[in-house]
Amino acid sequence: MPELSQETERTKGLLPLGPAEVTGPSMVPTLHHGDRLLVHWGARIRLGDVVVLRHPFQQDLLVVKRAAERREGGWWVLGDNAYAGGDSTDYGVVPEELVLGRVRFRYRPRKSDQRSPFALVRWALSAARPVFSDRSASRRLRAR
C-alpha cells in the first residue's frame, strides 16, 4: 500500500516544491516504483491531476493517486493501475484537507543494467518528464 518513501514527510513543508519517491505499483504506467517526483505542496488541485495525499485511515502514510472526481466531502482518487487497488474504491472520498499537493515532474533513475549506448540514449530521452493532468485517463478510470 505505501506509495511514497518516508523521506518525503521530512522534506515536506520546507519549500512549496519538494521531492518524493514512489514505492508502489498503483500508478503504473504513469509512475513506477523508484520514480522520483517533484511535488508542489499546497497547489490547487484540478480534475485529472496526480496528487499526494494522506491515507484516510493511516494518516502517517502518504500516497500518490490521480484526482478522478470532485465529490461532496472531497476528492475521489484512483490509481492508474486498475489491478493494484488502494484508492477511493477501498476507502471512499478523501477529505480536501488530506490532499497535500500536486505532482509536477517525474524523474526515472537509470537502472544498473542500462549500459549500452542505445539504452543510455533511450533512458536520457525518457528519464525526466513533467506530469500533466490526464483528464481522459481519469474518465476512463471512473468508468471501471
Side-chain angles (χ1 to χ4, degrees), residues 14 59 99 106 115 123 128:
L14 300 175
Q59 293 188 13
V99 180
R106 185 260 308 158
R115 294 188 195 125
W123 167 80

Side-chain angles (χ1 to χ4, degrees), residues 13-74:
L14 300 175
L15 297 170
L17 294 174
E21 181 179 345
V22 177
T23 60
S26 73
M27 287 300 291
V28 170
T30 306
L31 303 172
H32 294 272
H33 179 80
D35 282 357
R36 307 307 197 279
L37 307 175
L38 182 64
V39 180
H40 184 175
W41 302 112
R44 183 171 161 246
I45 307 303
R46 298 180 314 208
L47 181 68
D49 287 345
V50 176
V51 297
V52 174
L53 57 117
R54 288 191 185 283
H55 191 285
F57 302 141
Q58 228 181 327
Q59 293 188 13
D60 60 332
L61 178 65
L62 298 180
V63 295
V64 60
K65 301 292 176 197
R66 188 173 301 279
E69 187 176 321
R70 187 68 183 259
R71 293 191 178 180
E72 186 177 328

Side-chain angles (χ1 to χ4, degrees), residues 46-122:
R46 298 180 314 208
L47 181 68
D49 287 345
V50 176
V51 297
V52 174
L53 57 117
R54 288 191 185 283
H55 191 285
F57 302 141
Q58 228 181 327
Q59 293 188 13
D60 60 332
L61 178 65
L62 298 180
V63 295
V64 60
K65 301 292 176 197
R66 188 173 301 279
E69 187 176 321
R70 187 68 183 259
R71 293 191 178 180
E72 186 177 328
W75 285 97
W76 187 262
V77 296
L78 296 172
D80 287 356
N81 182 351
Y83 301 107
D87 54 23
S88 285
T89 57
D90 295 330
Y91 45 74
V93 174
V94 177
E96 186 79 34
E97 61 270 11
L98 296 182
V99 180
L100 304 176
R102 178 179 172 192
V103 175
R104 298 288 187 169
F105 197 77
R106 185 260 308 158
Y107 168 75
R108 189 162 290 153
R110 187 174 64 88
K111 296 177 185 171
S112 60
D113 63 344
Q114 292 176 316
R115 294 188 195 125
S116 74
F118 177 73
L120 288 174
V121 168
R122 186 171 174 222

